[in-house]
Amino acid sequence: MERPAWAPRSIDISVPSVARIYDYYLGGSYNFEVDREAARRALDFMPGLPKIMQANRAFLRRAVRFACAEGVTQFLDIGSGIPTFGNVHEVAQAAAEDARVVYVDHDPVAVSHTEAVLAGTTGTGVVAADLRKPDEILASPQVGALIDLNRPVALLLVAILHFVEDADDPYSAVARLSEALAPGSLLILTHASYEGIPVAAERAEGAVDVYKGIRNPLIMRSRDEIARFFEGYDMVEPGLVPMPHWRPQTPPEEEDPYAFSGFAGVGRTA
């Protein structure tokens, strides 16, 4: 397989990447045949996966605009992935010119392309780090330079926690990040779940097994398990709901049934 010029030399292009599979679902071009092959296997079981990703991005944009309207203009986006249309800094800085955004991802392709997208853009930065090591994120020079932790911050954990296994204690990682935030901060979160998927759980498990097979297990938590991430936060109305139901701009009944797979919510610290 020929290595494209945009692919960092450090990555193994024979191994699928969650970030690049996500990019493929959204119609991006920063993916390899090995990523597309894995994506197609998952689509055999759940052909509506791209609709889920689109609903996820639409919720993200609505939540960022909400944060800016509430006066929260600092964003820490962990698991940000490969840049695509409607990035957090584009949405935030359109709503508030002084908005600051730090992207965090552990995928080298995601980090490399984020650096390229941000070239010449003020108030933004990117950190190569892992959610499972929150202290490294908080101590990074980029966060120190751009994010004032004495002021409210919007912590974005969008479509990332379902890739963190229970053995890695994602609840502690979220709690550690949350305790570093000032009062009035927001937690913006989405998470996959079998609840709401418009196919039988047995069929959905086929797609989950694809991710397990590429050594990126997809952890499908229940609504109650997802709600635990918001401990210490007051939920913003309408609470933890399927993505199209969170402050929709178009009638939810017009959405594809797959868009209701999983949950989204925003919480505020006291």
Side-chain angles (χ1 to χ4, degrees), residues 67-248:
C68 290
E70 294 291 300
V72 180
T73 57
Q74 301 187 106
F75 297 86
L76 183 56
D77 184 1
I78 302 178
S80 50
I82 294 171
T84 186
F85 175 75
N87 293 308
V88 171
H89 73 278
E90 295 171 334
V91 177
Q93 292 179 348
E97 290 184 1
D98 62 343
R100 297 189 169 208
V101 179
V102 174
Y103 295 103
V104 181
D105 208 288
H106 73 282
D107 185 293
V109 171
V111 172
S112 174
H113 283 288
T114 302
E115 289 173 339
V117 167
L118 298 182
T121 303
T122 60
T124 61
V126 58
V127 180
D130 194 311
L131 170 61
R132 293 169 293 187
K133 299 178 179 179
D135 288 321
E136 291 185 9
I137 295 171
L138 294 168
S140 68
Q142 296 89 335
V143 169
L146 289 168
I147 303 294
D148 180 359
L149 293 175
N150 294 311
R151 295 174 46 233
V153 175
L155 172 61
L156 281 69
L157 298 174
V158 176
I160 179 63
L161 286 165
H162 47 236
F163 291 113
V164 183
E165 298 180 81
D166 289 339
D168 290 318
D169 199 359
Y171 296 103
S172 290
V174 175
R176 174 67 189 101
L177 291 163
S178 298
E179 69 185 20
L181 305 181
S185 293
L186 301 173
L187 172 59
I188 297 171
L189 181 155
T190 64
H191 197 297
S193 176
Y194 284 121
E195 299 175 40
I197 292 179
V199 296
E202 294 77 12
R203 186 168 182 81
E205 284 174 4
V208 171
D209 286 343
V210 171
Y211 284 90
K212 188 184 299 182
I214 63 172
R215 303 192 298 279
N216 281 283
L218 181 58
I219 312 302
M220 305 289 274
R221 296 186 173 95
S222 68
R223 185 184 183 281
D224 287 345
E225 289 171 325
I226 298 166
R228 281 184 54 200
F229 289 112
F230 286 99
E231 288 183 2
Y233 290 86
D234 296 324
M235 295 302 295
V236 170
E237 289 294 331
L240 185 61
V241 294
M243 292 177 286
H245 285 302
W246 199 90
R247 303 193 174 217

